[in-house]
């Protein structure tokens, strides 16, 4: 498969992104117990990390080893992929909103006395747009591959 190498590279990028998110979740864990309002954000990031884990398992077990997998695994992959799409859409919406109207975000960054807050805000927005694009591309490609290899998913527990 010609695009298989590109899918593996995209998976590697998703793994790097989710590793960074995972480190953030580790530090975010203390805030979750003291501030229950951030629990939803924590769970969404956790679902994105679970998507990456299940996508890796799909890649290794089904695409590389050509082994059977359970429908339960496919369902977990698809549910977490949906949450990842919602997360990515939120990132895109926030980044575009901040780039179009940066006044409130600039005020917050100015409190940290950054030398060039506007440039920092633009750079962070662009990086987040790229991250969201990578996640969306990977989810779309994974759904395509799940449909293409649907015979590898069986009802039995393996």
């Amino acid at each position: 498969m010609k695009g298989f190498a590109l899918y593996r590279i995209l998976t590697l990028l998703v793994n790097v992104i989710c590793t960074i998110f995972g480190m953030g979740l580790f530090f975010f864990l203390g805030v979750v117990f003291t501030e229950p309002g951030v629990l939803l954000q924590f769970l969404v990031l956790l679902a994105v990390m679970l998507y990456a884990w299940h996508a890796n398992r799909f890649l290794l077990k089904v695409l590389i080893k050509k082994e059977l997998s359970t429908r339960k695994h496919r369902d977990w992959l698809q549910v977490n992929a949906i949450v990842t799409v919602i997360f990515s859409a939120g990132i895109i919406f926030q980044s575009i909103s901040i780039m179009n109207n940066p006044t409130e975000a600039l005020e917050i960054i100015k409190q940290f006395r950054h030398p060039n807050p506007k440039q920092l805000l633009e750079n962070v927005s662009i990086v987040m747009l790229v991250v969201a694009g990578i996640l969306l591309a990977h989810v779309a490609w994974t759904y395509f591959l799940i449909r293409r290899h649907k015979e590898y998913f069986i009802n039995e527990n393996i």
Side-chain angles (χ1 to χ4, degrees):
M1 184 188 319
K2 205 173 197 182
F4 191 63
L6 187 58
Y7 181 75
R8 290 177 80 164
I9 292 169
L10 203 57
T11 301
L12 178 68
L13 291 173
V14 168
N15 288 335
V16 169
I17 290 166
C18 287
T19 301
I20 293 169
F21 286 162
M23 289 185 285
L25 276 181
F26 180 73
F27 295 111
F28 201 40
L29 191 58
V31 177
V32 169
F33 291 118
T34 59
E35 192 66 38
V38 297
L39 182 62
L40 180 63
Q41 297 166 351
F42 179 82
L43 292 175
V44 167
L45 277 175
L46 186 62
V48 172
M49 290 181 53
L50 285 172
Y51 164 74
W53 187 81
H54 283 288
N56 280 331
R57 189 169 162 214
F58 169 69
L59 173 68
L60 180 67
K61 196 169 187 179
V62 174
L63 299 179
I64 294 175
K65 292 183 177 179
K66 302 288 186 195
E67 294 177 356
L68 296 177
S69 187
T70 62
R71 291 188 191 270
K72 184 178 177 182
H73 171 243
R74 182 197 63 195
D75 294 343
W76 271 98
L77 179 59
Q78 289 178 333
V79 166
N80 288 310
I82 291 168
V83 176
T84 302
V85 167
I86 293 168
F87 173 74
S88 298
I91 287 176
I92 291 170
F93 178 74
Q94 285 178 333
S95 296
I96 291 173
S97 296
I98 287 174
M99 291 173 86
N100 287 336
N101 188 10
T103 54
E104 291 179 23
L106 283 173
E107 292 302 318
I108 294 170
I109 293 175
K110 285 179 184 176
Q111 292 175 359
F112 295 108
R113 301 190 202 298
H114 191 274
N116 193 353
K118 186 170 179 142
Q119 186 64 41
L120 175 67
L121 193 60
E122 288 176 5
N123 290 343
V124 168
S125 294
I126 290 170
V127 166
M128 293 310 291
L129 282 172
V130 169
V131 164
I134 290 170
L135 288 172
L136 285 174
H138 193 271
V139 167
W141 206 336
T142 300
Y143 266 112
F144 172 75
L145 289 172
I146 287 172
R147 287 187 179 181
R148 180 183 251 183
H149 296 89
K150 63 185 170 192
E151 67 274 2
Y152 286 95
F153 297 101
I154 59 172
N155 285 330
E156 298 175 22
N157 291 330
I158 295 178

